Amino acid sequence: IKSIIKSGKINASDVFVYDKISQKVSDFAALGCNPCNCIKDVCDSGDYIILAVKPQDYELLLCDIREKVPNLERKIFISIAAAISTDYISKTLGVSCSVVRVMPNTPLLVGLGATAISRNELVSDKDYTKICTLFAASGIVCTLPEELMNSVISVNSTSPVYVYMLARPISYGMGYHNVTEYNGGTFEGTITIGANGIMVNKNTNFEHAIETRYYYKDGYVFCFDRKYRFSYKKQKNSRC
């Protein structure tokens, strides 16, 4: 939400927030959002209801909404939770309603998210486009059939960890050569972002990039050893 507000796609004054943890409500109020005192108040205040709670809390939340909020069929529910289907939300609410299922990842917080989205058959094209536009303000959006939404969790939701694992040896090497103390730890992050930029903007073929940059015929091979010491040598038909 903070990233979307920052993008200018919505005004903070149009956002109503409720959380059972009062400090979280206060944090959003500090951004200019409207704090609400209960689940009924927040649901009555808008047409698009974003459900941003843990999967294990969904049943309790949906039952609370069903008991306290009227005219649910007029609302559009946007679910941000792993493994919670649109059908489960409709059935637990006890009404046929529009449900959009969203699976973002943490880079959404800095405007570089990769968000997978699907919808049930009751969501209009107009509403769906509007919701996709909101999430696209903080990265890219990929529309998927719902049967793939569980599978995509391992691709986009946990993907930052894969990148961290790749960045770690770079960071270790920087530390070994005492480079980190001169750049405040930002150099390795920028290296990772730069490589990603080439991958995205140049439509890089991974295998081709590895072969052409780290495999040389009668050329030089550049590498780090296990102690992160840099070396290069003339070597025929070798891989780094």
Side-chain angles (χ1 to χ4, degrees):
I1 297 298
K2 293 178 182 178
S3 183
I4 294 173
I5 291 173
K6 185 177 179 180
S7 73
K9 292 295 182 180
I10 57 174
N11 296 318
S13 58
D14 294 328
V15 178
F16 295 80
V17 180
Y18 169 72
D19 195 289
K20 62 182 180 180
I21 301 174
S22 59
Q23 183 57 52
K24 291 186 177 181
V25 177
S26 298
D27 291 343
F28 279 102
L31 296 175
C33 300
N34 301 282
C36 295
N37 296 318
C38 64
I39 194 70
K40 184 180 186 305
D41 287 348
V42 74
C43 289
D44 286 344
S45 299
D47 297 320
Y48 299 88
I49 313 299
I50 299 178
L51 307 174
V53 300
K54 297 292 185 180
Q56 60 266 28
D57 296 326
Y58 255 66
E59 183 175 6
L60 182 62
L61 171 66
L62 295 176
C63 289
D64 198 22
I65 292 174
R66 182 183 64 200
E67 294 173 3
K68 298 176 181 178
V69 182
N71 302 317
L72 293 177
E73 68 278 0
R74 300 179 184 177
K75 305 291 184 180
I76 300 171
F77 291 90
I78 303 168
S79 170
I80 305 176
I84 300 295
S85 69
T86 59
D87 186 57
Y88 172 83
I89 292 172
S90 293
K91 286 183 177 180
T92 307
L93 288 173
V95 65
S96 294
C97 56
S98 301
V99 183
V100 175
R101 185 173 169 184
V102 179
M103 181 47 58
N105 60 0
T106 51
L108 192 79
L109 298 173
V110 293
L112 296 171
T115 302
I117 302 184
S118 65
R119 58 173 167 171
N120 68 5
E121 68 280 359
L122 297 178
V123 180
S124 69
D125 290 342
K126 181 180 179 181
D127 286 325
Y128 188 66
T129 298
K130 184 173 183 178
I131 293 167
C132 287
T133 300
L134 289 178
F135 284 94
S138 298
I140 63 170
V141 167
C142 176
T143 294
L144 294 178
E146 186 167 4
E147 58 265 27
L148 295 180
M149 288 297 287
N150 286 348
S151 301
V152 81
I153 295 171
S154 64
V155 179
N156 74 323
S157 183
T158 58
S159 59
V161 177
Y162 305 149
V163 178
Y164 302 155
M165 292 175 67
L166 292 173
R168 183 169 56 185
I170 299 175
S171 179
Y172 287 171
M174 303 270 298
Y176 180 86
H177 293 287
N178 298 317
V179 177
T180 303
E181 63 180 286
Y182 293 100
N183 73 89
T186 60
F187 200 61
E188 53 267 49
T190 303
I191 289 171
T192 306
I193 293 172
N196 178 71
I198 292 175
M199 180 181 69
V200 173
N201 296 318
K202 300 296 184 180
N203 194 25
T204 302
N205 178 289
F206 301 121
E207 295 298 329
H208 176 71
I210 293 170
E211 290 290 333
T212 56
R213 295 186 183 278
Y214 301 108
Y215 176 73
Y216 296 87
K217 182 178 181 180
D218 297 327
Y220 285 97
V221 175
F222 300 86
C223 63
F224 288 96
D225 63 18
R226 290 188 178 184
K227 292 185 178 181
Y228 308 103
R229 292 176 297 200
F230 177 74
S231 64
Y232 66 94
K233 57 185 177 179
K234 184 90 169 178
Q235 190 166 321
K236 185 177 181 179
N237 295 338
S238 294
R239 291 178 180 272
C240 177

